[in-house]
Amino acid sequence: MTTVRHAPPSVPLPAFDVEQARRDFPLLQTTVRGKPLVYLDNAATSQKPRSVIARTEQYYATENANVHRGVYELSERATAAYEDAREKARAFLHAAAPREIVFVRGTTEAINLVASSFGRKELRAGDEVLITAMEHHSNIVPWQLICAERGAVLRVAPMNKRGELLMDEFARLLSPKTKLVAVAHVSNSLGTINPVAEIVRLAHERGAAVLVDGAQAAPHGPVDVRALGVDFYTVSGHKMFGPTGIGLLYGTAERLDALPPYQGGGDMIKTVTFAKTTYAEPPAKFEAGTPNIAGAVGLGAAIDYLRGLDWDAVQAHERDLLSYATARLGALPEVTLVGTAAHKASVVSFTVQGVHAHDVGTIVDQEGVAIRTGHHCTQPVMDFFAVPATARASFAFYNTRADVDTLVSAVRKVTKVFAG
Ligand SMILES: Cc1ncc(COP(=O)(O)O)c(C=O)c1O
């Protein structure tokens, strides 16, 4: 994925043709409240390129049938489209085989699947699961639920005031009791990029499995799960320019083979009698019922789109957006940046003195600027920084410096409204 760092101000403007990229996204051509839309809520969900919209329509118009079941031509076509999307996902994540890719609803479902299946099989009373202080609720609550059920203990590795994981503390919290480490690749509310390869190395030394929540990493570039050495990796299609309601769980073949099923139903079985059921091999074992076929096909198209981008240029462009937004927002006297890690993705969280984040969001919306405000499903992060909420601008490759300028003038208006 993109490693977006603060760039020095002298970095030349990147060669990425952002205007051409923007033309691929119909929604970016629209207006809201009579102003051109400035979409800066990409960490919540991303906009979709025409190719994803067209591929989804084409699927419904020419290939729609249930998968894996019919012997007729149309069902074979739908199955081929679905399995072709799985192969695209495999290549995108650099997994060894398509059987290591499970289609799920998104990161939330992927983590719940692992928490439930791994937890039921591996967690005993007194065992530990280690997460970090910057996790999204979806990488906290499923672990709380399964730990309570199994009598296991949830530990939390702390971070510093920049929003960086304290690696010494993390290493100290690892013990033979630690059965699984679950960590965000990129924090959604702070932008911090965690040192995943190092985390995996330390965890594996102690015999713990590692799940990486890649929801905020995959939109910034292809991920190499084998180079990272993770046991499980999760992705949400809608955050990486694909449809909603579809995502990926990567698990090594060895791990997925060993896990019990998550849900029971059609398609995940080998044989069923009232006395006994045997299960299909992964990934079918974890895909009970009719899957989101059109979503998977659309996600395949999003992956095709991403693979067509020049990632060196995209990374330079995102670095530039991050450093420009950090410098311009940081220069406003009323603004405090929340999350200033040395290694960050293009996410800028901030507070405006004396103004609730929701008021910031409402006022900048009048200027056509869409940002997220609130706790971003990371209430413990808000507690740590002692703020009720932040405003968050999160950038995709299709954003521009002009978008940042519009945001900054809108935030200036916020401070004027509240000063007056
Ligand atoms: C870091 C992180 N993890 C998990 C999630 C949950 O993703 P989803 O709602 O797509 O399941 C999000 C969504 O914002 C996220 O940012």
Side-chain angles (χ1 to χ4, degrees), residues 43 106-108 136 138 186 188 213 215-216 236 238-239:
T107 293
T108 302
H136 188 280
S138 65
V186 172
N188 66 308
D213 167 355
Q216 296 296 342
S236 292
H238 69 100
K239 292 185 197 287

Side-chain angles (χ1 to χ4, degrees), residues 43-45 105-111 134-139 184-189 213-217 234-239 245-246 376-378 392:
T45 201
R105 272 197 300 131
T107 293
T108 302
E109 187 175 53
I111 297 174
M134 67 185 89
E135 299 309 317
H136 188 280
H137 295 166
S138 65
N139 204 22
H185 197 162
V186 172
S187 151
N188 66 308
S189 52
D213 167 355
Q216 296 296 342
T234 69
V235 157
S236 292
H238 69 100
K239 292 185 197 287
I246 188 76
H376 317 290
C377 295
T378 55
R392 178 188 71 185

Side-chain angles (χ1 to χ4, degrees), residues 125-166:
D127 284 346
E128 296 181 0
V129 171
L130 178 57
I131 61 171
T132 83
M134 67 185 89
E135 299 309 317
H136 188 280
H137 295 166
S138 65
N139 204 22
I140 301 174
V141 184
W143 303 113
Q144 288 175 327
L145 289 169
I146 195 68
C147 283
E149 198 179 307
R150 307 295 301 168
V153 179
L154 187 63
R155 301 257 179 235
V156 183
M159 61 181 165
N160 64 22
K161 282 288 176 192
R162 293 164 66 92
E164 294 163 320
L165 193 58
L166 295 172

Side-chain angles (χ1 to χ4, degrees), residues 113 116-118 120 256-265 268-269 277-280 284-288:
L113 189 163
S116 169
S117 293
F118 182 95
R120 278 184 286 131
L256 291 182
D257 281 342
L259 290 190
Y262 174 48
Q263 295 177 327
M268 52 75 74
I269 53 89
T277 292
T278 58
Y279 304 118
K285 181 165 73 170
F286 302 104
E287 293 183 3

Side-chain angles (χ1 to χ4, degrees), residues 76-330:
E76 279 169 11
R77 241 189 267 164
T79 304
Y82 184 65
E83 293 303 328
D84 184 48
R86 195 189 307 278
E87 167 54 26
K88 286 174 182 173
R90 183 211 61 75
F92 179 75
L93 292 177
H94 295 88
R99 68 194 298 271
E100 296 181 322
I101 303 293
V102 180
F103 283 118
V104 288
R105 272 197 300 131
T107 293
T108 302
E109 187 175 53
I111 297 174
N112 276 279
L113 189 163
V114 176
S116 169
S117 293
F118 182 95
R120 278 184 286 131
K121 173 133 197 296
E122 304 287 347
L123 290 181
R124 307 271 173 279
D127 284 346
E128 296 181 0
V129 171
L130 178 57
I131 61 171
T132 83
M134 67 185 89
E135 299 309 317
H136 188 280
H137 295 166
S138 65
N139 204 22
I140 301 174
V141 184
W143 303 113
Q144 288 175 327
L145 289 169
I146 195 68
C147 283
E149 198 179 307
R150 307 295 301 168
V153 179
L154 187 63
R155 301 257 179 235
V156 183
M159 61 181 165
N160 64 22
K161 282 288 176 192
R162 293 164 66 92
E164 294 163 320
L165 193 58
L166 295 172
M167 286 304 289
D168 287 351
E169 292 293 309
F170 174 82
R172 205 178 51 73
L173 282 163
L174 279 171
S175 81
K177 288 191 206 157
T178 316
K179 292 292 177 285
L180 186 131
V181 170
V183 59
H185 197 162
V186 172
S187 151
N188 66 308
S189 52
L190 301 170
T192 309
I193 300 173
N194 282 315
V196 167
E198 174 68 357
I199 286 169
V200 171
R201 191 183 64 74
L202 290 167
H204 283 177
E205 264 174 26
R206 296 298 183 115
V210 181
L211 175 142
V212 173
D213 167 355
Q216 296 296 342
H220 300 289
V223 172
D224 191 333
V225 288
R226 275 182 291 168
L228 293 172
V230 296
D231 299 276
F232 302 104
Y233 197 92
T234 69
V235 157
S236 292
H238 69 100
K239 292 185 197 287
M240 49 185 283
F241 316 101
T244 50
I246 188 76
L248 306 173
L249 167 66
Y250 160 81
T252 61
E254 200 187 358
R255 289 283 180 197
L256 291 182
D257 281 342
L259 290 190
Y262 174 48
Q263 295 177 327
D267 251 21
M268 52 75 74
I269 53 89
K270 217 180 259 166
T271 59
V272 179
T273 68
F274 288 118
K276 183 177 162 59
T277 292
T278 58
Y279 304 118
E281 300 297 320
K285 181 165 73 170
F286 302 104
E287 293 183 3
T290 301
N292 182 354
I293 309 164
V297 170
L299 178 55
I303 290 171
D304 284 343
Y305 185 89
L306 289 173
R307 284 169 77 85
L309 294 176
D310 171 352
W311 279 99
D312 284 342
V314 167
Q315 285 178 11
H317 176 65
E318 290 196 5
R319 269 199 301 275
D320 180 70
L321 287 175
L322 174 64
S323 56
Y324 186 64
T326 303
R328 288 223 56 200
L329 283 167

